[in-house]
Amino acid sequence: DAGVIQSPRHEVTEMGQEVTLRCKPISGHDYLFWYRQTMMRGLELLIYFNNNVPIDDSGMPEDRFSAKMPNASFSTLKIQPSEPRDSAVYFCASSLDRAPYEQYFGPGTRLTVT
Amino acid sequence: GQQVMQIPQYQHVQEGEDFTTYCNSSTTLSNIQWYKQRPGGHPVFLIQLVKSGEVKKQKRLTFQFGEAKKNSSLHITATQTTDVGTYFCAGPDSGTYKYIFGTGTRLKVLA
C-alpha cells in the first residue's frame, strides 16, 4: 500500500486566498484525522471522520476552516480566506477501527500564507 | 479539557547515553500510544500500552504505563544518532477515538 497520500506537499499563498488540502487515506481504514502542527501549539487535532461522517470538529479553529469526506478514499480541508496565522504543517492520518488504533500519518502539507 | 504534558521539552545527549521522556495526563487513560517524528517527517506509531503497570520493550526502547494509568515513560538505552527526533505520547479523550497528543520531547544525539 502507498500509505496516506497528501497533496500538495507545499503550498504558498497570499492572505485572503482559498486553500484546499487533499488527502487519500489507506484503503479500508475507517477513521480519517486532520491535524495541524506548529511550534507554538504542537500537534492539534482539527477534525476526524468515521466512515466518511464527521464525528468531532471541535478543533477546527473557526468558520474559515471546513473539511469534507465525500467518499472513503478522499478528504479535503479548505481554508477560506487564509490568514498568515494559518501557516503550519497539516497532516492527514487514517486508522482502522480496532486495536491498537494505530494512526498512519501522511507526509503533510506545509502551508505558508504571506 | 484533557491535557497531556511531556517533560523534558528538549534533551541533548551524547551518543551512547540513556534518554527518558515522561508523559503525564490530566485524566485516567484507557490506553496510551507513542509516536516518533523525525526532523522534517511525519509521526510514526511506535507502540500502544493498555494495562496498568504494563512494560513493553522494542530493542533499546522501553515503554511503561503507570499504575494509575495517568502517566507513561519512554526510555532509550545507549542512544544512537538514528534516535534523533521528537517523541510524542497520545492518549484518547474519554470514550472517543480522539487522541490528544502530548507536547513532545525533542531528542538530539551528539556523535
Side-chain angles (χ1 to χ4, degrees):
Chain A
D1 201 318
V4 175
I5 299 172
Q6 291 187 247
S7 64
R9 294 293 307 277
H10 302 273
E11 177 80 43
V12 180
T13 190
E14 292 184 346
M15 182 173 63
Q17 296 298 307
E18 178 180 294
V19 175
T20 300
L21 311 181
R22 297 173 175 80
C23 174
K24 177 179 169 54
I26 293 173
S27 177
H29 279 196
D30 309 284
Y31 286 89
L32 183 138
F33 305 85
W34 281 101
Y35 291 89
R36 177 173 68 176
Q37 186 174 41
T38 61
M39 288 295 294
M40 291 297 294
R41 300 178 66 88
L43 195 59
E44 305 172 273
L45 177 66
L46 301 177
I47 185 171
Y48 77 96
F49 296 82
N50 177 216
N51 293 326
N52 314 338
V53 176
I55 303 300
D56 186 336
D57 65 354
S58 60
M60 296 286 261
E62 47 197 276
D63 292 345
R64 297 184 298 105
F65 286 68
S66 63
K68 293 182 180 179
M69 192 166 186
N71 57 62
S73 59
F74 184 66
S75 178
T76 60
L77 177 67
K78 186 176 292 186
I79 308 172
Q80 165 64 19
S82 58
E83 297 182 3
R85 59 189 168 131
D86 302 330
S87 297
V89 179
Y90 291 81
F91 289 106
C92 174
S94 67
S95 72
L96 290 167
D97 186 11
R98 64 172 184 261
Y101 305 103
E102 171 182 353
Q103 292 185 43
Y104 293 79
F105 281 75
T109 296
R110 181 173 294 277
L111 173 65
T112 303
V113 184
T114 60
Chain B
Q2 180 186 345
Q3 292 186 334
V4 181
M5 303 298 292
Q6 286 182 250
I7 54 170
Q9 190 175 2
Y10 300 97
Q11 182 86 55
H12 293 185
V13 299
Q14 286 290 137
E15 188 174 21
E17 292 182 339
D18 292 357
F19 159 77
T20 303
T21 174
Y22 300 92
C23 173
N24 293 286
S25 170
S26 59
T27 61
T28 302
L29 301 170
S30 59
N31 65 83
I32 194 156
Q33 297 179 342
W34 284 91
Y35 290 78
K36 175 183 177 182
Q37 183 177 20
R38 295 182 185 274
H42 57 276
V44 175
F45 177 84
L46 294 177
I47 207 164
Q48 183 188 53
L49 304 172
V50 179
K51 298 177 183 176
S52 169
E54 187 171 15
V55 178
K56 286 188 176 180
K57 292 190 175 184
Q58 289 180 350
K59 297 182 180 179
R60 296 178 294 102
L61 277 61
T62 302
F63 304 85
Q64 186 166 4
F65 202 6
E67 293 290 340
K69 302 182 77 172
K70 293 183 70 174
N71 57 73
S72 181
S73 64
L74 158 59
H75 180 83
I76 302 177
T77 302
T79 54
Q80 300 176 357
T81 54
T82 53
D83 296 324
V84 164
T86 301
Y87 292 85
F88 293 96
C89 61
D93 203 8
S94 179
T96 76
Y97 289 97
K98 176 180 176 179
Y99 275 79
I100 307 299
F101 277 74
T103 47
T105 296
R106 183 178 296 179
L107 172 65
K108 283 194 174 182
V109 180
L110 307 173

